[in-house]
Amino acid sequence: MAATPPARPRITVCMAAYNGSRYIEEQLRSILDQLEDGDEVIVVDDCSTDDTASRVASLDDARIRLVRAAANAGYVKTFERAISLATGEVVFLSDQDDIWLPGRVDVMVEALDDAELVVTNFSYFGGEIPTLQQARLSKRSSRHWLRNTFWIWVGTRPYYGCCMAFRHSLIPRLLPFPEYLSETHDQWIGFVANADKSVAHLDFDSVARRIHADNATVKSARPMSTVLKARWMTARSVLEARKRSRRFAR
């Protein structure tokens, strides 16, 4: 008699939504197609001024939990809130306007057998992205913890939230986000997992990113003062990640 394969871990997908009515239904369908009955999708609507929330509700799927924020908090705080509500053993992050590619969930969940965080590459459509954002992750660099941290900080190691999944057990070290963190929550997650020496890079594309005028990711050069401020913020995040890793290791 053949052995019964082990059940797949329960999954939570965390999405921060804001004025995403044009694409959010298509994105959610691409996610739901890969989930099982007991999984959940937490959509935190950050006080959208369009019909984003009603479009999410119209899908009428029991796996979707729609949370309507009382005040606009920005995408970093909105993702933080969504993560705090996650109950699944594996947590995926998702933007509101991309498309999940077939096989994403199974491959990324399998990679988490040996790591707290898995990060993949992505394809894109609808426009062009800057050369810097076209950098690719390599499986060979997964265990280069210090180099990963340095290149994430520099901005050339592509750690995007839409390409991430992590074990629920990582959440106590992730939350609360540092109070000064105003952007790049995904880099913060990367800093924490690399401080724990528990990351897997996958070479394949797990998501197709939609390029359009309202993408949250910066597509043009920023003033040097803004760049320096961001580098200082992420440097502080590196130190905080290492401090939390040491504290939880005790």
Side-chain angles (χ1 to χ4, degrees):
M1 182 175 178
T4 303
R8 192 185 73 183
R10 184 168 178 269
I11 289 169
T12 296
V13 180
C14 293
M15 178 184 292
Y18 179 73
N19 288 355
S21 63
R22 287 181 65 189
Y23 308 119
I24 197 166
E25 290 173 275
E26 182 180 10
Q27 166 68 314
L28 284 169
R29 289 192 181 98
S30 77
I31 294 170
L32 293 167
D33 283 348
Q34 297 192 45
L35 300 186
E36 298 178 347
D37 289 343
D39 298 331
E40 66 179 356
V41 182
I42 298 174
V43 181
V44 180
D45 181 68
D46 193 25
C47 290
S48 294
T49 58
D50 64 5
D51 61 344
T52 295
S54 61
R55 286 181 179 268
V56 173
S58 71
L59 291 174
D60 194 26
D61 192 300
R63 294 169 292 181
I64 297 176
R65 178 181 177 188
L66 174 62
V67 179
R68 302 174 191 248
N72 182 268
Y75 73 92
V76 172
K77 287 294 184 183
T78 302
F79 268 115
E80 181 178 20
R81 183 177 183 186
I83 292 169
S84 74
L85 297 172
T87 62
E89 297 167 77
V90 172
V91 179
F92 282 78
L93 301 186
S94 176
D95 291 340
Q96 65 185 1
D97 46 11
D98 300 329
I99 295 176
W100 281 22
L101 298 177
R104 166 189 170 96
V105 169
D106 290 340
V107 173
M108 293 176 73
V109 168
E110 182 179 0
L112 289 172
D113 285 344
D114 301 310
E116 291 181 326
L117 171 72
V118 58
V119 194
T120 75
N121 290 304
F122 63 89
S123 60
Y124 60 92
F125 65 102
E128 293 297 320
I129 59 175
T131 302
L132 187 63
Q133 293 182 28
Q134 296 178 27
R136 304 276 297 178
L137 284 176
S138 169
K139 185 176 181 179
R140 295 190 304 273
S141 62
S142 295
R143 295 179 180 275
H144 298 169
W145 324 117
L146 292 178
R147 273 180 278 179
N148 288 339
T149 297
F150 176 76
W151 291 117
I152 294 169
W153 177 73
V154 170
T156 58
R157 188 76 92 213
Y159 271 52
Y160 292 106
C162 63
C163 299
M164 287 181 172
F166 51 87
R167 297 183 196 171
H168 190 278
S169 58
L170 186 63
I171 292 178
R173 293 189 287 292
L174 295 177
L175 302 184
F177 287 171
E179 52 86 20
Y180 49 80
L181 197 71
S182 60
E183 60 182 25
T184 60
H185 64 289
D186 37 17
Q187 292 187 3
W188 161 247
I189 295 170
F191 291 145
V192 172
N194 275 287
D196 285 350
K197 299 182 179 180
S198 191
V199 178
H201 297 166
L202 298 183
D203 298 318
F204 88 117
D205 298 336
S206 72
V207 63
R209 292 183 62 197
R210 189 190 306 267
I211 308 304
H212 57 91
D214 298 324
N215 286 128
T217 303
V218 176
K219 296 183 284 293
S220 58
R222 302 195 291 179
M224 182 55 66
S225 59
T226 302
V227 172
L228 292 175
K229 181 179 179 182
R231 290 292 174 268
W232 171 238
M233 179 183 65
T234 50
R236 293 176 68 188
S237 297
V238 170
L239 297 176
E240 176 64 20
R242 293 179 68 83
K243 182 170 70 174
R244 293 192 190 187
S245 180
R246 289 194 298 268
R247 184 169 73 239
F248 276 88
R250 292 171 185 164

